[in-house]
Amino acid sequence: MSNPKSGTEMATIDCCMIVVTTEEESPRSVAITSGTKLGVEPQIETADAVKLIIKGVLKAQKPEKKTITGHILTLTDNLTILELIEVLQGGTLVKDEQGNITGYTPPNTGEKFEPVKFTLDAYSAVMRGANIVQYEKASYPGCVGDPVGLNSEDDVFRANEYTINSLPSDGQPPYTLSFVDTLPVVSSGPASALET
């Protein structure tokens, strides 16, 4: 009998950054760094077990089979980021000559909902003692957003909750984990101005 070995232990904390990158001919990247929270719920299809029971006695059984089909991601953010809403539900941002957003028009009522596909990267800090030693990057492929509602309440800053379905292609992993030394550099300006 072999001796057990200690596993690789990591202390991860914070939702340091979310990066959404569209799967378009000219990809757009939107970074979210404003007090975010990401909930992840695996989506699993289950084929029932088959049991042979004769006169109350179990003679044989074929166990149930579970197949992962993706994840439902729930992204909560303390700020409204219109570039993200445009990716999640489509529509058009209206901008002035300097590129400042002056409005947003969602898709028309009755139009077929055709969201843009994107990859969502979630970064968390890996700590040793009191120091960040690297960042965990969880990447969810084949994501599409649900339509977004914007709530309002007196004396309460809006916290937006976005539902995202991660639907990887056949043979593609439902997510990947990698580790990086630094977070992507985020520049101000158009959503395509994210440097990795």
Side-chain angles (χ1 to χ4, degrees):
M1 182 171 143
S2 63
N3 293 328
K5 295 181 179 179
S6 176
T8 302
E9 299 174 338
M10 295 184 178
T12 57
I13 191 169
D14 296 336
C15 188
C16 302
M17 182 183 291
I18 299 286
V19 176
V20 167
T21 305
T22 62
E23 299 175 11
E24 299 173 294
E25 191 172 318
S26 298
R28 294 172 283 163
S29 289
V30 180
I32 305 155
T33 59
S34 49
T36 54
K37 175 182 175 184
L38 183 66
V40 180
E41 181 184 344
Q43 296 300 291
I44 297 172
E45 292 293 327
T46 302
D48 292 337
V50 180
K51 299 178 182 181
L52 177 63
I53 300 175
I54 301 174
K55 295 185 178 181
V57 177
L58 177 66
K59 297 292 186 178
Q61 65 178 326
K62 182 179 179 182
E64 69 178 16
K65 291 185 179 179
K66 295 185 178 181
T67 303
I68 187 163
T69 59
H71 290 87
I72 291 180
L73 310 176
T74 304
L75 176 62
T76 306
D77 188 31
N78 292 325
L79 295 177
T80 301
I81 301 173
L82 290 175
E83 293 90 344
L84 175 64
I85 292 174
E86 183 186 37
V87 169
L88 294 179
Q89 72 176 14
T92 305
L93 289 176
V94 181
K95 299 182 180 181
D96 63 18
E97 293 176 1
Q98 290 76 38
N100 299 313
I101 296 173
T102 60
Y104 167 70
T105 304
N108 292 330
T109 302
E111 279 187 5
K112 183 179 178 184
F113 180 58
E114 294 183 357
V116 175
K117 278 197 170 186
F118 59 90
T119 298
L120 185 144
D121 297 324
Y123 293 86
S124 297
V126 179
M127 300 194 70
R128 188 172 300 125
N131 300 312
I132 296 174
V133 293
Q134 61 185 351
Y135 294 91
E136 176 192 82
K137 175 185 175 184
S139 298
Y140 297 90
C143 291
V144 292
D146 281 350
V148 174
L150 301 175
N151 299 318
S152 296
E153 183 180 347
D154 281 350
D155 297 326
V156 176
F157 287 106
R158 177 185 292 152
N160 298 298
E161 186 173 278
Y162 307 111
T163 301
I164 297 166
N165 296 293
S166 174
L167 305 167
S169 302
D170 288 346
Q172 186 176 28
Y175 66 92
T176 57
L177 286 182
S178 57
F179 297 91
V180 296
D181 293 331
T182 59
L183 293 172
V185 176
V186 180
S187 59
S188 60
S192 60
L194 181 74
E195 301 170 16
T196 53

